[in-house]
Amino acid sequence: MESLLFAKRMPKDARQKLLYVALRLFTDKGFKETSILEMVEAAHVSKTTFYNFFRSKEELLVQLFERLVDEVLDEVKKAADRQQKVSYKAFSGIRRYIELCTDRVTVARLLLVASVGVSQEVEAVRRKAHLRFAELIYSIVRDVLSGTVPEEDLKIGAQAMVGAINEVVIQNVITSEQEVDLDRLARMLNRMVVGSFSALVMKQPAN
């Protein structure tokens, strides 16, 4: 399956065509401003074809959201997996995430800002994406800190880190007009992640 995040030309499959043009129309015009008619015309398919795959524009957004989250998290995981040390894993994963949000800022805006409040289904997908990102952070630190910090504390810490990282991306990448210093931002967030989990270890009672 071709990547939507990096696709530069229209796919051949009808469903993929609709996802492809929807991504471009939603990021160029906005979700609310884009009609189903515009999407089917841009994809060169019929309305009947649209409804064969999606019940509504909102359902298309849900599936598009899930697909993009899959691709983004896969990129982050691959970047982290290339490193051996936990601190390097976290830095590489965070840096790749910020890099993707910077290079595909309209996509990041759609995922983190523009789709907020569209529907309960989209919000459910957003929460699921947040948890999956948190699980990825948790998996990075678990092998090192397991046994020294309760699992539940690690999971909560990872969830908090996702919220912090996304807020920094919104404020410094999506809504800011200043050029982003990827390494500086990634280093700062990495220090926060490592520092937060180190603090959890220090607060554990001695045996």
Side-chain angles (χ1 to χ4, degrees), residues 77-88:
K77 186 177 186 303
K78 285 192 293 188
D81 286 346
R82 293 189 192 104
Q83 304 296 330
Q84 296 297 318
K85 293 185 178 180
V86 173
S87 59
Y88 293 169

Side-chain angles (χ1 to χ4, degrees), residues 13-62:
D13 177 79
R15 181 175 178 277
Q16 302 310 314
K17 281 183 179 181
L18 287 164
L19 291 171
Y20 175 87
V21 300
L23 177 57
R24 273 136 192 83
L25 288 169
F26 291 168
T27 53
D28 289 345
K29 295 185 60 177
F31 172 78
K32 293 180 180 179
E33 292 74 21
T34 299
S35 68
I36 291 176
L37 179 60
E38 286 177 291
M39 287 189 281
V40 298
E41 288 181 346
H44 306 296
V45 299
S46 67
K47 271 194 172 183
T48 300
T49 300
F50 178 94
Y51 287 109
N52 283 338
F53 297 112
F54 313 104
R55 288 174 298 177
S56 64
K57 189 173 68 168
E58 286 74 17
E59 184 176 313
L60 186 154
L61 178 60
V62 166

Side-chain angles (χ1 to χ4, degrees), residues 14-167:
R15 181 175 178 277
Q16 302 310 314
K17 281 183 179 181
L18 287 164
L19 291 171
Y20 175 87
V21 300
L23 177 57
R24 273 136 192 83
L25 288 169
F26 291 168
T27 53
D28 289 345
K29 295 185 60 177
F31 172 78
K32 293 180 180 179
E33 292 74 21
T34 299
S35 68
I36 291 176
L37 179 60
E38 286 177 291
M39 287 189 281
V40 298
E41 288 181 346
H44 306 296
V45 299
S46 67
K47 271 194 172 183
T48 300
T49 300
F50 178 94
Y51 287 109
N52 283 338
F53 297 112
F54 313 104
R55 288 174 298 177
S56 64
K57 189 173 68 168
E58 286 74 17
E59 184 176 313
L60 186 154
L61 178 60
V62 166
Q63 293 190 31
L64 177 62
F65 203 114
E66 290 175 333
R67 175 78 173 275
L68 291 170
V69 168
D70 283 345
E71 294 183 9
V72 169
L73 291 183
D74 183 60
E75 286 290 317
V76 172
K77 186 177 186 303
K78 285 192 293 188
D81 286 346
R82 293 189 192 104
Q83 304 296 330
Q84 296 297 318
K85 293 185 178 180
V86 173
S87 59
Y88 293 169
K89 282 179 177 288
F91 172 79
S92 295
I94 290 169
R95 190 188 188 285
R96 183 57 177 151
Y97 182 66
I98 298 172
E99 183 179 37
L100 288 171
C101 291
T102 303
D103 292 344
R104 301 291 187 276
V105 66
T106 55
V107 176
R109 184 179 295 114
L110 175 67
L111 294 177
L112 297 177
V113 179
S115 59
V116 172
V118 168
S119 70
Q120 291 183 345
E121 291 76 15
V122 173
E123 290 306 309
V125 175
R126 187 191 313 285
R127 288 193 296 273
K128 183 179 177 182
H130 186 110
L131 287 173
R132 287 182 60 196
F133 196 176
E135 286 168 1
L136 180 57
I137 294 176
Y138 166 74
S139 70
I140 291 174
V141 301
R142 178 186 55 203
D143 292 341
V144 175
L145 299 181
S146 181
T148 61
V149 179
E151 297 292 300
E152 190 61 29
D153 289 2
L154 288 179
K155 291 178 180 179
I156 292 173
Q159 291 166 12
M161 288 301 99
V162 172
I165 291 168
N166 280 338
E167 185 61 27

